[in-house]
Amino acid sequence: MTWNWDVARDFLPELLDGLLITLQATALGSVLAFALGLVWALALRSPTRFVRWPVGVFVEFIRNTPLLVQLFFFYWVLPSWDIKFSALTTGVIALGLHYSTYVAEVYRAGIDGVPVGQWEAATALNTARGRTW
């Protein structure tokens, strides 16, 4: 059997459509992951354990569940509960939610990497909490 370029040329438009959808899902999922990751990171640093504990359990559950299982859940289980999205929206939500938990850990590490003296200096200068962050 030999390689047939005519067959490959016939499939090229479908492959390019798939590439475009993949790039869209990646870009939109990344934006969602960056935004949600910041929310999770700040919630995990909350002084209230009633916020910190449920968010911590949720983040660890999502991180310990395979992405493929989450994609199947969003695509097949949610519609049975009358929560329906398009295939692209489902993929973006699943990718964004899954990777937001990893991004939260990156944000947490960055926040924890700030020396204590920097936080104390901001307090000593009477800098507003929002400006300190």
Side-chain angles (χ1 to χ4, degrees):
M1 189 183 292
T2 61
W3 181 259
N4 188 348
W5 283 104
D6 293 329
V7 174
R9 202 172 301 115
D10 290 341
F11 283 112
L12 188 59
E14 287 84 8
L15 290 174
L16 292 177
D17 288 342
L19 175 65
L20 180 63
I21 291 170
T22 301
L23 292 175
Q24 287 175 340
T26 301
L28 295 172
S30 295
V31 169
L32 183 62
F34 296 148
L36 275 178
L38 184 59
V39 171
W40 303 146
L42 294 177
L44 287 170
R45 295 189 57 81
S46 172
T48 308
R49 69 176 179 184
F50 297 111
V51 172
R52 193 174 55 244
W53 187 81
V55 171
V57 169
F58 176 77
V59 165
E60 287 303 315
F61 176 77
I62 296 296
R63 286 183 65 198
N64 291 320
T65 309
L67 176 59
L68 188 59
V69 171
Q70 293 171 17
L71 283 165
F72 282 155
F73 178 81
F74 279 104
Y75 195 77
W76 296 106
V77 176
L78 289 183
S80 68
W81 297 344
D82 290 330
I83 302 172
K84 297 177 178 157
F85 300 111
S86 69
L88 179 62
T89 304
T90 301
V92 167
I93 291 171
L95 288 171
L97 184 64
H98 182 79
Y99 288 110
S100 70
T101 59
Y102 291 97
V103 170
E105 289 299 310
V106 172
Y107 288 150
R108 182 202 54 78
I111 293 168
D112 288 347
V114 176
V116 175
Q118 295 293 320
W119 296 103
E120 292 171 352
T123 303
L125 292 171
N126 200 22
T127 307
R129 185 173 177 89
R131 186 159 169 93
T132 300
W133 277 94

